[in-house]
């Protein structure tokens, strides 16, 4: 692929050898997550598919728009609906769809090379790190976390249009239209899409364009309209919070200690490679590169920090922010290459190999085992439900009731009835089954009504 430039604006559209770089990046992503393609569905995956059957068809869009929670995840429900329509209720195609989305996201990180502040060399290294980084693995492996992949895809696509808009100094309205379209789809993917607004300001601030131009009313007009839309978007959520599940189950609160969650999550995400890369950039007085990455990571992580059930955000919620970490790691690699030159570049290749092996190996081993354990209770429930001739009475199940209901309904066609005791009620129908899981993922005890 030849290097292209826009003759009017001097914007480099694609680097030399870009197709080979894209192929290598895709290979890194696929190799890193190859083992996860063999996993069964994991807990909330069944709820995701059940909701997609309800909201995915055109006839269900009216109800989807009225749902204050899932209308903000509309894109993932549509992807799930059509995946099942095309491939049936088989886990592997669903996991492949998430992995393909991850590959596309990796390519979008590479595409950030159009921003002159980053450049193609840093963007390629950042995309490679982002492809294998283990911290955000939950967003790729757990199918129910697909909204994270989609909000990143449309959010970064919006940022790419914004970069083109800023670097052309507001001369091409198609860039503004592309920004708006991608931002709308990002809002339909997850609430964290509002981070795009802050990142747009980061791009304006760190851009090399004259400050009077980059903060001119004409240039910021599309951003102002996006802010107004986001305000309406947020207002609709809070107006309907009595019907919003995340406000009712206690997992989200504006009174949560978000500053502590933000600091702990950011610190853990940067350990170990991020801290080492930051130290290198500070030593080499490349504070601007570090500032861009930290600004990206901090802004992208902030919308997730109003949790009440954890001291740090779950790994799937670091997907957005880890692109900022990737930019810092890439800047450190490029700076070391400039300093050492070709004479000691073998050291960089060795560090890169260790980095890939450490991240991918952790996903292949420890994380693969954890996801298998998370899938075990639901798989055992489905196995027993298939042998029942009546309802399944549920006691001490480790996941919320809607997970059990959707899993049994999809795979066995039975009804789930929660009970408080570890024995069948006196009026249980013949053939009913009690699913009792008293000790986590250990093999449960069962009783069958014989009447």
């Amino acid at each position: 692929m030849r290097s292209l430039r826009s003759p009017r604006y001097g914007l480099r559209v694609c680097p030399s050898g870009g197709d080979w770089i894209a192929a290598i990046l895709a290979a890194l992503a696929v190799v890193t997550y190859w083992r996860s393609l063999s996993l069964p569905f994991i807990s909330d995956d069944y709820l995701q598919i059940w909701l997609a059957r309800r909201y995915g068809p055109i006839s269900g869009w009216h109800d989807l728009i009225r749902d204050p929670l899932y209308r903000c995840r509309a894109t993932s429900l549509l992807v799930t609906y059509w995946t099942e329509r095309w491939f049936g209720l088989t886990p592997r195609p669903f996991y492949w769809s998430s992995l393909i989305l991850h590959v596309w996201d990796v390519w979008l990180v590479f595409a950030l090379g159009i921003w002159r502040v980053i450049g193609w060399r840093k963007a390629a290294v950042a995309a490679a790190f982002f492809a294998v980084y283990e911290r955000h693995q939950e967003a790729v492996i757990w199918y129910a976390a697909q909204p994270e992949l989609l909000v990143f895809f449309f959010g970064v696509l919006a940022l790419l249009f914004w970069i083109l808009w800023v670097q052309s100094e507001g001369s091409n309205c198609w860039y503004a239209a592309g920004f708006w379209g991608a931002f709308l789809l990002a809002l339909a993917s997850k609430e964290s899409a509002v981070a795009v607004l802050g990142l747009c300001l980061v791009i304006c601030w760190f851009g090399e364009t004259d400050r009077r131009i980059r903060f001119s009313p004409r240039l910021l007009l599309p951003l102002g309209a996006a802010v107004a839309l986001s305000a309406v978007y947020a207002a609709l959520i809070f107006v309907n919070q009595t019907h919003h599940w995340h406000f009712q189950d206690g997992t989200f609160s504006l009174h949560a200690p978000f500053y502590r969650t933000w600091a702990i999550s950011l610190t853990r995400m940067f350990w170990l490679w991020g801290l080492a890369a930051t130290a290198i950039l500070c030593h080499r007085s490349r504070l601007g590169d570090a500032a861009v990455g930290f600004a990206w990571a901090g802004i992208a992580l902030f919308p997730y920090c109003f949790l009440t059930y954890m001291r740090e955000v779950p790994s799937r919620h670091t997907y957005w922010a880890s692109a900022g970490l990737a930019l810092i790691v890439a800047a450190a690699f490029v700076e070391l290459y400039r300093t050492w030159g070709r004479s000691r570049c073998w050291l960089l290749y060795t560090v890169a190999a260790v980095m890939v092996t450490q991240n991918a190996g952790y996903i292949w081993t420890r994380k693969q085992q954890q996801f298998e354990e998370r899938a075990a209770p639901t798989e055992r429930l489905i196995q027993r439900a298939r042998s029942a001739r009546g309802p399944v009475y549920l006691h001490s199940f480790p996941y919320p009731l809607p997970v059990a209901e959707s899993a049994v309904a999809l795979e066995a066609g039975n009804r789930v009835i929660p009970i408080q005791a570890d024995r069948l009620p006196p009026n249980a129908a013949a053939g009913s089954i009690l699913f009792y899981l008293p000790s986590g993922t250990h093999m449960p005890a069962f009783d069958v009504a014989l009447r």
Side-chain angles (χ1 to χ4, degrees):
M1 185 180 295
R2 293 179 299 173
S3 176
L4 303 177
R5 285 182 182 270
S6 169
R8 183 175 180 182
Y9 306 116
L11 302 177
R12 195 168 183 179
V13 177
C14 183
S16 178
D19 44 3
W20 283 102
I21 296 174
I24 293 171
L25 293 174
L28 284 172
V30 171
V31 169
T32 301
Y33 290 99
W34 183 261
R35 285 203 68 194
S36 65
L37 296 173
S38 63
L39 288 169
F41 288 124
I42 302 168
S43 60
D44 284 16
D45 293 350
Y46 289 104
L47 181 58
Q48 172 83 4
I49 297 169
W50 182 80
L51 288 168
R53 288 186 177 183
R54 177 182 175 186
Y55 290 139
I58 296 178
S59 59
W61 288 4
H62 180 263
D63 292 335
L64 175 61
I65 293 173
R66 296 179 60 186
D67 191 312
L69 173 59
Y70 289 106
R71 69 183 173 214
C72 301
R73 288 151 179 78
T75 56
S76 65
L77 292 174
L78 291 176
V79 170
T80 301
Y81 173 74
W82 285 107
T83 302
E84 188 191 7
R85 285 288 302 270
W86 290 337
F87 301 103
L89 200 62
T90 304
R92 180 159 292 193
F94 289 85
Y95 287 128
W96 263 114
S97 69
S98 290
L99 182 51
I100 290 171
L101 277 172
H102 178 55
V103 171
W104 291 354
D105 290 343
V106 169
W107 287 343
L108 286 180
V109 175
F110 177 43
L112 288 172
I114 65 172
W115 190 17
R116 290 187 287 257
V117 172
I118 297 175
W120 291 109
R121 182 174 293 178
K122 290 179 188 176
V125 178
F129 180 83
F130 186 80
V132 303
Y133 183 47
E134 59 84 14
R135 175 63 178 155
H136 60 223
Q137 35 69 34
E138 195 176 46
V140 185
I141 298 177
W142 191 15
Y143 182 77
Q146 195 176 84
E148 304 296 340
L149 304 176
L150 287 164
V151 72
F152 184 92
F153 178 82
F154 292 116
V156 176
L157 189 62
L159 290 176
L160 291 173
F161 279 113
W162 180 255
I163 290 169
L164 293 172
W165 170 257
V166 170
Q167 293 186 164
S168 68
E169 298 180 358
S171 301
N172 192 327
C173 292
W174 285 108
Y175 295 152
F179 165 75
W180 251 84
F183 183 62
L184 284 171
L185 289 170
L187 290 177
S189 299
K190 199 165 186 181
E191 299 89 342
S192 54
V194 296
V196 169
L197 305 177
L199 294 175
C200 286
L201 293 177
V202 169
I203 290 168
C204 289
W205 180 262
F206 287 98
E208 73 277 15
T209 308
D210 185 87
R211 184 171 298 182
R212 290 172 300 177
I213 297 176
R214 66 190 179 195
F215 288 108
S216 66
R218 171 182 171 79
L219 197 64
L220 295 182
L221 182 61
L223 185 61
V227 170
L229 176 64
S230 299
V232 175
Y233 178 84
L236 290 175
I237 292 175
F238 285 100
V239 165
N240 295 283
Q241 61 181 290
T242 56
H243 304 288
H244 196 292
W245 175 248
H246 285 176
F247 282 98
Q248 301 305 311
D249 64 359
T251 60
F252 174 87
S253 174
L254 292 177
H255 304 291
F258 62 89
Y259 49 88
R260 184 184 67 187
T261 305
W262 183 84
I264 293 174
S265 302
L266 202 61
T267 302
R268 180 166 181 180
M269 189 181 71
F270 270 75
W271 180 264
L272 167 69
W273 299 110
L275 293 181
T278 302
I280 291 171
L281 293 177
C282 291
H283 176 69
R284 301 298 303 173
S285 299
R286 303 291 297 183
L287 300 182
D289 291 332
V292 170
F294 270 104
W296 180 300
I299 291 172
L301 194 63
F302 185 76
Y304 297 103
C305 292
F306 293 87
L307 302 173
T308 58
Y309 63 95
M310 292 181 68
R311 294 176 65 248
E312 60 180 289
V313 301
S315 59
R316 63 187 178 275
H317 293 164
T318 64
Y319 194 80
W320 245 116
S322 60
L325 168 62
L327 293 175
I328 291 178
V329 172
F333 262 83
V334 171
E335 184 61 27
L336 289 178
Y337 181 80
R338 289 172 178 167
T339 303
W340 292 347
R342 294 183 179 274
S343 60
R344 288 187 289 176
C345 65
W346 63 271
L347 285 173
L348 286 178
Y349 296 145
T350 302
V351 173
V354 170
M355 188 179 294
V356 171
T357 303
Q358 179 264 319
N359 283 278
Y362 189 68
I363 293 174
W364 292 343
T365 56
R366 178 58 178 162
K367 287 302 174 182
Q368 180 75 11
Q369 178 185 357
Q370 288 181 351
F371 280 106
E372 290 173 350
E373 292 173 352
R374 288 168 65 175
T378 312
E379 292 302 298
R380 291 171 183 163
L381 171 62
I382 292 170
Q383 182 182 6
R384 291 301 298 172
R386 285 172 176 165
S387 63
R389 301 192 307 273
V392 176
Y393 291 89
L394 193 66
H395 176 62
S396 298
F397 192 62
Y399 301 128
L401 180 61
V403 172
E405 291 177 328
S406 57
V408 171
L410 289 172
E411 295 283 8
N414 296 14
R415 189 162 55 99
V416 172
I417 301 176
I419 58 175
Q420 300 299 319
D422 58 349
R423 57 182 180 274
L424 284 168
N427 60 344
S432 298
I433 284 182
L434 166 69
F435 188 88
Y436 178 49
L437 193 61
S439 54
T441 59
H442 292 276
M443 185 61 69
F446 298 103
D447 287 319
V448 180
L450 301 177
R451 292 173 288 109

mmCIF file of all heavy atoms in Angstrom, residues 2 11 63 71 94 98 108-110 116 180 184 190 205 214 216 222 230 240 284 294 329 335 381 392 403 414:
data_model
loop_
_atom_site.group_PDB
_atom_site.id
_atom_site.type_symbol
_atom_site.label_atom_id
_atom_site.label_comp_id
_atom_site.label_asym_id
_atom_site.label_seq_id
_atom_site.Cartn_x
_atom_site.Cartn_y
_atom_site.Cartn_z
ATOM 1 N N ARG A 2 0.735 2.092 -0.966
ATOM 2 C CA ARG A 2 1.571 3.277 -1.074
ATOM 3 C C ARG A 2 1.129 4.359 -0.092
ATOM 4 O O ARG A 2 -0.013 4.420 0.318
ATOM 5 C CB ARG A 2 1.517 3.821 -2.502
ATOM 6 C CG ARG A 2 2.146 2.899 -3.532
ATOM 7 C CD ARG A 2 2.034 3.500 -4.916
ATOM 8 N NE ARG A 2 0.636 3.699 -5.295
ATOM 9 C CZ ARG A 2 0.267 4.325 -6.405
ATOM 10 N NH1 ARG A 2 1.172 4.836 -7.206
ATOM 11 N NH2 ARG A 2 -1.010 4.452 -6.691
ATOM 12 N N LEU A 11 -2.494 15.900 4.476
ATOM 13 C CA LEU A 11 -2.701 14.891 5.499
ATOM 14 C C LEU A 11 -2.298 13.523 4.976
ATOM 15 O O LEU A 11 -2.763 13.102 3.927
ATOM 16 C CB LEU A 11 -4.180 14.863 5.931
ATOM 17 C CG LEU A 11 -4.746 16.177 6.466
ATOM 18 C CD1 LEU A 11 -6.212 16.010 6.772
ATOM 19 C CD2 LEU A 11 -3.986 16.639 7.677
ATOM 20 N N ASP A 63 -39.817 -0.840 21.835
ATOM 21 C CA ASP A 63 -39.554 -1.171 23.238
ATOM 22 C C ASP A 63 -38.106 -0.873 23.603
ATOM 23 O O ASP A 63 -37.813 -0.482 24.741
ATOM 24 C CB ASP A 63 -39.864 -2.647 23.495
ATOM 25 C CG ASP A 63 -41.350 -2.951 23.394
ATOM 26 O OD1 ASP A 63 -42.163 -2.024 23.608
ATOM 27 O OD2 ASP A 63 -41.697 -4.105 23.088
ATOM 28 N N ARG A 71 -31.291 0.844 25.513
ATOM 29 C CA ARG A 71 -31.200 1.677 24.307
ATOM 30 C C ARG A 71 -29.800 2.274 24.185
ATOM 31 O O ARG A 71 -29.380 2.679 23.097
ATOM 32 C CB ARG A 71 -32.251 2.779 24.351
ATOM 33 C CG ARG A 71 -32.020 3.857 25.399
ATOM 34 C CD ARG A 71 -33.138 4.858 25.423
ATOM 35 N NE ARG A 71 -33.033 5.819 26.510
ATOM 36 C CZ ARG A 71 -34.074 6.338 27.140
ATOM 37 N NH1 ARG A 71 -35.312 5.976 26.795
ATOM 38 N NH2 ARG A 71 -33.906 7.221 28.109
ATOM 39 N N PHE A 94 -20.148 -16.217 18.015
ATOM 40 C CA PHE A 94 -20.283 -15.031 18.856
ATOM 41 C C PHE A 94 -18.903 -14.548 19.305
ATOM 42 O O PHE A 94 -18.619 -13.342 19.285
ATOM 43 C CB PHE A 94 -21.168 -15.347 20.063
ATOM 44 C CG PHE A 94 -22.617 -15.534 19.730
ATOM 45 C CD1 PHE A 94 -23.091 -16.768 19.314
ATOM 46 C CD2 PHE A 94 -23.512 -14.485 19.831
ATOM 47 C CE1 PHE A 94 -24.427 -16.953 19.004
ATOM 48 C CE2 PHE A 94 -24.856 -14.655 19.531
ATOM 49 C CZ PHE A 94 -25.317 -15.894 19.109
ATOM 50 N N SER A 98 -16.671 -10.918 18.467
ATOM 51 C CA SER A 98 -15.965 -10.045 19.407
ATOM 52 C C SER A 98 -14.497 -9.907 19.034
ATOM 53 O O SER A 98 -13.919 -8.808 19.112
ATOM 54 C CB SER A 98 -16.097 -10.586 20.834
ATOM 55 O OG SER A 98 -17.416 -10.448 21.315
ATOM 56 N N LEU A 108 -7.932 0.739 14.361
ATOM 57 C CA LEU A 108 -8.263 2.145 14.599
ATOM 58 C C LEU A 108 -7.193 2.832 15.442
ATOM 59 O O LEU A 108 -6.903 4.014 15.248
ATOM 60 C CB LEU A 108 -9.623 2.267 15.281
ATOM 61 C CG LEU A 108 -10.844 2.001 14.391
ATOM 62 C CD1 LEU A 108 -12.126 2.155 15.191
ATOM 63 C CD2 LEU A 108 -10.870 2.937 13.193
ATOM 64 N N VAL A 109 -6.613 2.095 16.401
ATOM 65 C CA VAL A 109 -5.489 2.658 17.158
ATOM 66 C C VAL A 109 -4.329 2.956 16.218
ATOM 67 O O VAL A 109 -3.671 4.001 16.317
ATOM 68 C CB VAL A 109 -5.055 1.692 18.276
ATOM 69 C CG1 VAL A 109 -3.805 2.214 18.988
ATOM 70 C CG2 VAL A 109 -6.177 1.502 19.293
ATOM 71 N N PHE A 110 -4.083 2.049 15.287
ATOM 72 C CA PHE A 110 -3.052 2.287 14.279
ATOM 73 C C PHE A 110 -3.395 3.507 13.425
ATOM 74 O O PHE A 110 -2.516 4.310 13.073
ATOM 75 C CB PHE A 110 -2.900 1.038 13.411
ATOM 76 C CG PHE A 110 -1.919 1.174 12.285
ATOM 77 C CD1 PHE A 110 -0.689 1.782 12.470
ATOM 78 C CD2 PHE A 110 -2.226 0.684 11.028
ATOM 79 C CE1 PHE A 110 0.216 1.907 11.429
ATOM 80 C CE2 PHE A 110 -1.329 0.799 9.975
ATOM 81 C CZ PHE A 110 -0.107 1.421 10.181
ATOM 82 N N ARG A 116 -0.787 14.182 13.672
ATOM 83 C CA ARG A 116 0.625 14.510 13.555
ATOM 84 C C ARG A 116 1.338 14.481 14.902
ATOM 85 O O ARG A 116 2.551 14.306 14.966
ATOM 86 C CB ARG A 116 0.777 15.877 12.887
ATOM 87 C CG ARG A 116 0.400 15.860 11.408
ATOM 88 C CD ARG A 116 0.735 17.187 10.750
ATOM 89 N NE ARG A 116 -0.159 18.256 11.142
ATOM 90 C CZ ARG A 116 -1.150 18.729 10.375
ATOM 91 N NH1 ARG A 116 -1.371 18.197 9.192
ATOM 92 N NH2 ARG A 116 -1.899 19.723 10.795
ATOM 93 N N TRP A 180 -20.005 13.470 13.630
ATOM 94 C CA TRP A 180 -21.345 13.412 14.214
ATOM 95 C C TRP A 180 -21.962 12.018 14.073
ATOM 96 O O TRP A 180 -22.533 11.478 15.030
ATOM 97 C CB TRP A 180 -22.243 14.464 13.544
ATOM 98 C CG TRP A 180 -22.553 15.582 14.455
ATOM 99 C CD1 TRP A 180 -21.788 16.673 14.700
ATOM 100 C CD2 TRP A 180 -23.694 15.692 15.287
ATOM 101 N NE1 TRP A 180 -22.393 17.480 15.622
ATOM 102 C CE2 TRP A 180 -23.574 16.906 16.004
ATOM 103 C CE3 TRP A 180 -24.824 14.911 15.500
ATOM 104 C CZ2 TRP A 180 -24.513 17.333 16.916
ATOM 105 C CZ3 TRP A 180 -25.779 15.340 16.402
ATOM 106 C CH2 TRP A 180 -25.623 16.537 17.103
ATOM 107 N N LEU A 184 -22.880 9.563 17.282
ATOM 108 C CA LEU A 184 -24.238 9.072 17.543
ATOM 109 C C LEU A 184 -24.243 7.557 17.749
ATOM 110 O O LEU A 184 -24.912 7.029 18.655
ATOM 111 C CB LEU A 184 -25.168 9.461 16.392
ATOM 112 C CG LEU A 184 -25.623 10.919 16.336
ATOM 113 C CD1 LEU A 184 -26.357 11.185 15.024
ATOM 114 C CD2 LEU A 184 -26.526 11.242 17.525
ATOM 115 N N LYS A 190 -22.778 2.679 24.301
ATOM 116 C CA LYS A 190 -22.662 2.703 25.759
ATOM 117 C C LYS A 190 -22.536 4.150 26.232
ATOM 118 O O LYS A 190 -22.098 5.031 25.487
ATOM 119 C CB LYS A 190 -21.464 1.887 26.250
ATOM 120 C CG LYS A 190 -21.575 1.509 27.718
ATOM 121 C CD LYS A 190 -20.618 0.418 28.121
ATOM 122 C CE LYS A 190 -20.923 0.005 29.568
ATOM 123 N NZ LYS A 190 -20.006 -1.037 30.040
ATOM 124 N N TRP A 205 -6.029 20.693 22.219
ATOM 125 C CA TRP A 205 -5.014 21.293 23.080
ATOM 126 C C TRP A 205 -3.599 20.902 22.654
ATOM 127 O O TRP A 205 -2.697 21.742 22.624
ATOM 128 C CB TRP A 205 -5.255 20.881 24.526
ATOM 129 C CG TRP A 205 -4.249 21.468 25.462
ATOM 130 C CD1 TRP A 205 -3.125 20.883 25.969
ATOM 131 C CD2 TRP A 205 -4.267 22.803 26.003
ATOM 132 N NE1 TRP A 205 -2.445 21.736 26.779
ATOM 133 C CE2 TRP A 205 -3.126 22.932 26.827
ATOM 134 C CE3 TRP A 205 -5.138 23.885 25.864
ATOM 135 C CZ2 TRP A 205 -2.839 24.115 27.511
ATOM 136 C CZ3 TRP A 205 -4.850 25.050 26.552
ATOM 137 C CH2 TRP A 205 -3.712 25.153 27.363
ATOM 138 N N ARG A 214 -7.476 26.565 16.571
ATOM 139 C CA ARG A 214 -8.022 25.302 17.080
ATOM 140 C C ARG A 214 -9.108 25.504 18.132
ATOM 141 O O ARG A 214 -9.859 24.588 18.439
ATOM 142 C CB ARG A 214 -6.897 24.438 17.636
ATOM 143 C CG ARG A 214 -6.206 24.970 18.864
ATOM 144 C CD ARG A 214 -4.964 24.155 19.171
ATOM 145 N NE ARG A 214 -4.266 24.652 20.342
ATOM 146 C CZ ARG A 214 -3.025 24.330 20.669
ATOM 147 N NH1 ARG A 214 -2.361 23.520 19.888
ATOM 148 N NH2 ARG A 214 -2.457 24.802 21.750
ATOM 149 N N SER A 216 -11.256 28.169 17.802
ATOM 150 C CA SER A 216 -12.163 29.131 17.183
ATOM 151 C C SER A 216 -13.589 28.590 17.211
ATOM 152 O O SER A 216 -13.808 27.371 17.214
ATOM 153 C CB SER A 216 -11.736 29.388 15.738
ATOM 154 O OG SER A 216 -11.906 28.218 14.953
ATOM 155 N N PRO A 222 -19.042 21.768 15.748
ATOM 156 C CA PRO A 222 -19.534 20.379 15.833
ATOM 157 C C PRO A 222 -19.429 19.809 17.244
ATOM 158 O O PRO A 222 -20.287 19.044 17.674
ATOM 159 C CB PRO A 222 -18.624 19.625 14.856
ATOM 160 C CG PRO A 222 -18.084 20.661 13.943
ATOM 161 C CD PRO A 222 -17.953 21.897 14.771
ATOM 162 N N SER A 230 -25.266 15.286 24.093
ATOM 163 C CA SER A 230 -24.906 14.472 25.255
ATOM 164 C C SER A 230 -25.680 14.892 26.489
ATOM 165 O O SER A 230 -26.038 14.053 27.334
ATOM 166 C CB SER A 230 -23.403 14.575 25.520
ATOM 167 O OG SER A 230 -22.661 14.103 24.423
ATOM 168 N N ASN A 240 -35.388 8.856 33.756
ATOM 169 C CA ASN A 240 -35.969 7.509 33.816
ATOM 170 C C ASN A 240 -35.209 6.593 34.762
ATOM 171 O O ASN A 240 -35.246 5.376 34.607
ATOM 172 C CB ASN A 240 -35.967 6.895 32.416
ATOM 173 C CG ASN A 240 -36.867 7.621 31.453
ATOM 174 O OD1 ASN A 240 -38.079 7.478 31.475
ATOM 175 N ND2 ASN A 240 -36.274 8.438 30.582
ATOM 176 N N ARG A 284 13.771 11.181 29.546
ATOM 177 C CA ARG A 284 14.157 11.761 28.260
ATOM 178 C C ARG A 284 13.472 13.106 27.994
ATOM 179 O O ARG A 284 13.567 13.642 26.889
ATOM 180 C CB ARG A 284 13.813 10.793 27.127
ATOM 181 C CG ARG A 284 14.487 9.427 27.229
ATOM 182 C CD ARG A 284 15.987 9.534 27.174
ATOM 183 N NE ARG A 284 16.424 10.200 25.942
ATOM 184 C CZ ARG A 284 17.669 10.553 25.681
ATOM 185 N NH1 ARG A 284 18.610 10.323 26.585
ATOM 186 N NH2 ARG A 284 17.982 11.118 24.540
ATOM 187 N N PHE A 294 -1.655 10.021 29.355
ATOM 188 C CA PHE A 294 -2.343 10.116 30.644
ATOM 189 C C PHE A 294 -3.688 10.819 30.501
ATOM 190 O O PHE A 294 -4.669 10.434 31.157
ATOM 191 C CB PHE A 294 -1.472 10.853 31.650
ATOM 192 C CG PHE A 294 -0.570 9.948 32.439
ATOM 193 C CD1 PHE A 294 0.773 9.870 32.141
ATOM 194 C CD2 PHE A 294 -1.065 9.164 33.469
ATOM 195 C CE1 PHE A 294 1.609 9.033 32.851
ATOM 196 C CE2 PHE A 294 -0.247 8.325 34.189
ATOM 197 C CZ PHE A 294 1.108 8.258 33.883
ATOM 198 N N VAL A 329 3.395 3.662 26.131
ATOM 199 C CA VAL A 329 4.358 2.587 25.876
ATOM 200 C C VAL A 329 5.003 2.767 24.503
ATOM 201 O O VAL A 329 6.224 2.611 24.340
ATOM 202 C CB VAL A 329 3.667 1.210 25.987
ATOM 203 C CG1 VAL A 329 4.599 0.089 25.537
ATOM 204 C CG2 VAL A 329 3.195 0.964 27.417
ATOM 205 N N GLU A 335 11.208 6.462 21.519
ATOM 206 C CA GLU A 335 12.275 7.286 22.080
ATOM 207 C C GLU A 335 13.541 6.462 22.308
ATOM 208 O O GLU A 335 14.654 6.928 22.032
ATOM 209 C CB GLU A 335 11.804 7.903 23.407
ATOM 210 C CG GLU A 335 12.795 8.855 24.036
ATOM 211 C CD GLU A 335 13.111 10.054 23.154
ATOM 212 O OE1 GLU A 335 12.252 10.428 22.337
ATOM 213 O OE2 GLU A 335 14.222 10.611 23.294
ATOM 214 N N LEU A 381 -26.219 -25.887 35.232
ATOM 215 C CA LEU A 381 -27.657 -25.627 35.331
ATOM 216 C C LEU A 381 -28.360 -26.039 34.044
ATOM 217 O O LEU A 381 -29.413 -26.702 34.081
ATOM 218 C CB LEU A 381 -27.887 -24.143 35.628
ATOM 219 C CG LEU A 381 -29.331 -23.654 35.556
ATOM 220 C CD1 LEU A 381 -30.198 -24.369 36.593
ATOM 221 C CD2 LEU A 381 -29.390 -22.140 35.747
ATOM 222 N N VAL A 392 -37.540 -25.724 36.861
ATOM 223 C CA VAL A 392 -36.288 -25.876 37.601
ATOM 224 C C VAL A 392 -36.351 -24.964 38.817
ATOM 225 O O VAL A 392 -36.499 -23.743 38.685
ATOM 226 C CB VAL A 392 -35.076 -25.493 36.712
ATOM 227 C CG1 VAL A 392 -33.785 -25.569 37.521
ATOM 228 C CG2 VAL A 392 -34.997 -26.390 35.497
ATOM 229 N N VAL A 403 -30.035 -14.195 34.699
ATOM 230 C CA VAL A 403 -29.051 -15.027 33.989
ATOM 231 C C VAL A 403 -29.526 -16.461 33.921
ATOM 232 O O VAL A 403 -29.503 -17.095 32.859
ATOM 233 C CB VAL A 403 -27.676 -14.930 34.677
ATOM 234 C CG1 VAL A 403 -26.702 -15.942 34.071
ATOM 235 C CG2 VAL A 403 -27.113 -13.523 34.576
ATOM 236 N N ASN A 414 -37.190 -24.477 29.664
ATOM 237 C CA ASN A 414 -37.876 -24.666 30.946
ATOM 238 C C ASN A 414 -38.070 -23.325 31.654
ATOM 239 O O ASN A 414 -37.527 -22.304 31.244
ATOM 240 C CB ASN A 414 -37.081 -25.601 31.859
ATOM 241 C CG ASN A 414 -36.969 -26.997 31.291
ATOM 242 O OD1 ASN A 414 -37.244 -27.222 30.125
ATOM 243 N ND2 ASN A 414 -36.548 -27.941 32.095
#
